[in-house]
Structure formats: structure tokens, C-alpha cells
Amino acid sequence: MTELGKHKLGRHSATNLSPELDDYQLAAELVREAGQLALLMRQGGLDAQRKTSISDVVTAADHAAEAYVLEQLQRCRPDDGVLGEEGAAVRGSSGRTWVIDPVDGTYNFLQGSTYWCSAIALKDESDVLLGAIFQPEEDKLWIGGKQRATTLNGDPVTTFREDGTNRNAADLSHLGAATYIHPRWLSDPMCAMPWHAAATSAATLRMLGSGSCDLGRVADGQLGCWFQHSCPEWDWLPGKAIVTAAGGVAGSVHVNGLEWFMAGGTTAVHQLRAALESGSVD
């Protein structure tokens, strides 16, 4: 961890996490601590480095938050692997891997928006087991997985409950869809055609800049559904776990050489898949 990160963390929390925490408790504490550390570092001023474009950036807060999570996981789950957006790569012996996104929505984070989060997932060799997403400036913590239904700040999420308001049956044309596409991809028909087909199938669009924040809101009903192409695991697995543990569905489809990821209710995801496939040029 950087010296700045250590200094900020010392002001925030000097206590190491306990290995006795279960996986859900550990995930919740890790994203809370990482998010609070990043927020403290931003308050002290940060410079950004460009990665692939002016909107794809990284800061010292990203690195410090990931280093903290890595350190705690190596203490608390020494047999598990770790994969982080900012370079953490540990091969474990347990068959399980923690996937870290220390700051999802870094461009928003730097611009002073509250729409960013820290996210983590735990996966095994077959699927994602759990996810946790914490949005510090709005104090929202989503957590859920195969062994625990999704909660938001400890309260059950009931968006996809089986009654008259069952979101699984909602038609895409009646829902707001969250998405993201970089402007340069809109000039490539191989990407733009499927994206346009899906986008024009929804009632309205939202492009807010943090996939994990979007997916938490799909789970709790603030957003209707979500789609995006070419997501790395740290941008996809935390939210996938949370949406599916809330009773929704998540999946992907290959169109024109790109993998598109989708989440929401059963009907909406089926219709998103069909719309994306209609943009195929094969």
C-alpha cells in the first residue's frame, strides 16, 4: 500500500479484519473499508493517470484501496486467489478467487459525483458465489449470493418477488435500461448496431458511469435492466451475484465478436438478448 494510503487508512480504521468473519461479512467489511479509504483520499486531492482514454483513469485511491483489500484477504483467506482491476493477482489453492474493483466509476469519482462504489465478488471454478457493492457517499451496501438473498443496508430486496408486481414478467419496452458505451465504439457498426437495437427497445436509457452501481439498482428496482459489452470480471461478477440473489437473471451473448452482458428480469433479459442478436452482421 502507498504511504498516502497507509496514512489515510490509519485515520479511518487501524483494526485488521477478523478471519472469523464469514464470507458475506468479510465482503461487506472489505467494500466498506475500501470505499471509505478512497473517499478520504479524494478529500485530500488526487491526480489521475489515463489508462485507455480520457474517461478511463486510475488514481492513487484505486491502488491504495485495492492494496488494503489484498492485504486483508491474504490475512483472512490465505488459501484463496485474488484478482484485482489494478493488478492484484494471487493464485490460491482453494479453487476460490476474490475479484476486486476498488473504485468502480473512477471518472465519476474524480469529478465529484457520488455515483461510484467499491465492489467485490467471490467465485469458484463454476460460478460467482457472492457479491458486495458499497456506494460510500450514499451509504448504500448491497450484498447477496448463492447462500444469501440480496439485501440493501440489511433490508431484503423484493423487486423480483412473485406477486402482482413481479419484475421478472415486465416487458423491456416498459423499463428503463442502464447501459454504457464509449463514444468511439459508436463509430464501429459491429458494436453500434447491436447496442442501438437494444437501446431502442427500452422505454428510456440511463448512462451513469458505474456498472456495479447500476446493477445494485437493477436488483433493488430503481433501474429496470442493464446491458454492456466487453465487461471484465470485476465490472460484472459483483453485480451479477447481487441481481441473481435478488431473484433476477443475468447472462451474456456473443454478437459480432463481442460479448454482451445483461441483467434484469427474465422477460427483459430475453428481449435484450434478442435485440442484441438482431444487430448481428454475420
Side-chain angles (χ1 to χ4, degrees):
M1 184 181 301
T2 65
E3 290 303 315
L4 177 58
K6 290 178 181 177
H7 173 68
K8 295 291 187 182
L9 181 59
R11 288 172 48 196
H12 170 55
S13 173
T15 303
N16 285 323
L17 300 180
S18 170
E20 301 303 315
L21 295 172
D22 69 29
D23 289 335
Y24 289 87
Q25 292 168 330
L26 180 60
E29 290 301 314
L30 287 170
V31 292
R32 281 192 181 278
E33 295 290 337
Q36 293 293 351
L37 170 59
L39 182 58
L40 280 170
M41 292 184 70
R42 188 183 72 179
Q43 292 169 351
L46 289 170
D47 293 323
Q49 295 179 327
R50 184 182 299 188
K51 295 166 77 173
T52 63
S53 70
I54 194 169
S55 61
D56 182 17
V57 292
V58 63
T59 72
D62 297 75
H63 289 295
E66 181 166 298
Y68 168 75
V69 174
L70 174 62
E71 178 183 337
Q72 296 303 311
L73 285 172
Q74 290 184 307
R75 287 183 55 259
C76 296
R77 298 294 188 271
D79 296 330
D80 291 350
V82 182
L83 175 66
E85 180 179 10
E86 309 310 335
V90 176
R91 184 185 296 274
S93 60
S94 68
R96 309 191 326 161
T97 301
W98 295 83
V99 181
I100 310 166
D101 195 346
V103 177
D104 180 53
T106 303
Y107 188 76
N108 288 352
F109 173 74
L110 277 171
Q111 298 300 312
S113 167
T114 66
Y115 206 81
W116 62 274
C117 64
S118 291
I120 196 167
L122 175 62
K123 67 172 187 172
D124 63 12
E125 295 172 353
S126 61
D127 201 0
V128 63
L129 302 175
L130 66 84
I133 297 168
F134 180 57
Q135 194 173 347
E137 292 183 90
E138 297 193 16
D139 193 29
K140 292 181 181 291
L141 173 66
W142 295 268
I143 188 163
K146 289 188 175 296
Q147 303 300 320
R148 191 173 301 180
T150 297
T151 58
L152 171 57
N153 291 346
D155 295 326
V157 168
T158 58
T159 299
F160 298 101
R161 63 185 182 271
E162 298 292 338
D163 63 15
T165 61
N166 178 18
R167 185 66 66 87
N168 271 314
D171 194 277
L172 175 60
S173 64
H174 296 163
L175 297 175
T179 186
Y180 178 77
I181 186 169
H182 192 277
R184 70 170 181 267
W185 282 101
L186 290 172
S187 64
D188 180 354
M190 302 290 277
C191 179
M193 289 178 66
W195 184 86
H196 182 268
T200 56
S201 298
T204 187
L205 290 180
R206 299 290 182 267
M207 194 178 299
L208 300 169
S210 168
S212 287
C213 287
D214 291 346
L215 287 162
R217 284 167 171 78
V218 171
D220 69 31
Q222 294 182 61
L223 293 171
C225 59
W226 173 93
F227 68 98
Q228 186 175 327
H229 75 84
S230 306
C231 295
E233 289 187 303
W234 46 78
D235 283 340
W236 167 237
L237 292 182
K240 176 187 177 183
I242 285 165
V243 170
T244 55
V249 296
S252 66
V253 62
H254 286 85
V255 182
N256 299 339
L258 295 173
E259 186 172 12
W260 293 84
F261 298 84
M262 308 159 289
T266 305
T267 299
V269 168
H270 175 77
Q271 292 171 340
L272 278 172
R273 181 185 298 272
L276 289 163
E277 289 178 331
S278 74
S280 173
V281 297
D282 295 337

